[in-house]
Amino acid sequence: MLCTSCGHDNLPGADHCEECHASLMHEDVPLASIESAIEHSLSEDKVKALNPVEAFSVPEGTSLEEAIRTMRERKIGCLLVTDHAGRLSGIFTERDVLYKVAGKELDLAAEPVSRYMTHNPEVIRGDQLLASALQRMMVGDLRHLPLVDGEGRPEKILSSRDIINYLAFLVEGILEPQSEE
């Protein structure tokens, strides 16, 4: 195993470089420890551990023009759409814009977002397991998963990027050399 500090070729599994005594602990982390940490996280951690961001919601009657403008101005990939009682009725995403709106001759100011949104989207609660969120996103090919309260009102939004960043942070923590005291 080559030392990243001095380039000395050390024996595989060495904790420190024989030449410069630099730590090699981060160089030879067994893949099994990374896999078990990820498995543990997915099966034990709750969705709320990801600290999902607040969701932006609009009423069903919001125009396409306003919905698209809101997404552009806020630099977000989706809006949650709520019914008259504030419960989630749909999600309007960049994909909806591309596949249902783009290229059509529509009066964006007159068309309601509810006509082009994805109705009854998959949802999750913050107290559910991370594995459940990942499974729903993978099976449904979803980039966004709304978090709702017990009455179906949107609270936050979970993105696939949130999960990737969380797992990357977890792996990075395993790969970081431990400080020696």
Side-chain angles (χ1 to χ4, degrees):
M1 169 182 350
L2 292 177
C3 174
T4 55
S5 296
C6 71
H8 181 75
D9 192 10
N10 294 279
L11 292 173
D15 292 340
H16 293 82
C17 176
E18 296 169 11
E19 188 69 30
C20 71
H21 304 288
S23 174
L24 300 174
M25 296 295 286
H26 63 285
E27 299 297 326
D28 194 25
V29 176
L31 187 56
S33 67
I34 293 172
E35 290 173 351
S36 67
I38 290 173
E39 286 175 16
H40 177 77
S41 180
L42 288 173
S43 63
E44 298 292 326
D45 293 346
K46 307 288 187 201
V47 170
K48 62 186 167 194
L50 299 176
N51 294 321
V53 298
E54 292 296 320
F56 290 101
S57 300
V58 295
E60 291 174 335
T62 303
S63 72
L64 276 176
E65 180 179 53
E66 186 178 339
I68 293 169
R69 183 178 343 106
T70 300
M71 290 170 65
R72 286 180 51 198
E73 287 173 356
R74 296 189 181 272
K75 297 180 175 143
I76 55 176
C78 71
L79 287 173
L80 301 183
V81 183
T82 56
D83 64 14
H84 65 281
R87 290 184 300 268
L88 183 69
S89 61
I91 185 170
F92 185 66
T93 69
E94 294 166 321
R95 283 185 187 174
D96 292 323
V97 173
L98 287 173
Y99 293 115
K100 299 174 184 177
V101 177
K104 295 185 179 178
E105 292 187 26
L106 300 171
D107 180 358
L108 297 180
E111 292 288 334
V113 70
S114 59
R115 191 171 292 156
Y116 299 91
M117 70 183 184
T118 301
H119 294 268
N120 303 312
E122 285 282 337
V123 298
I124 197 157
R125 291 184 322 276
D127 62 349
Q128 290 183 277
L129 293 176
L130 188 54
S132 179
L134 184 59
Q135 187 269 344
R136 288 176 190 198
M137 293 176 94
M138 294 292 293
V139 170
D141 191 26
L142 307 173
R143 292 185 183 125
H144 300 94
L145 189 61
L147 273 74
V148 295
D149 65 15
E151 296 179 21
R153 289 183 176 83
E155 295 182 319
K156 299 187 181 252
I157 190 82
L158 180 66
S159 73
S160 53
R161 185 177 298 161
D162 294 332
I163 295 176
I164 292 166
N165 289 342
Y166 183 77
L167 295 176
F169 179 76
L170 180 73
V171 168
E172 188 176 288
I174 294 169
L175 295 177
E176 287 291 315
Q178 303 299 314
S179 61
E180 296 176 22
E181 296 180 35

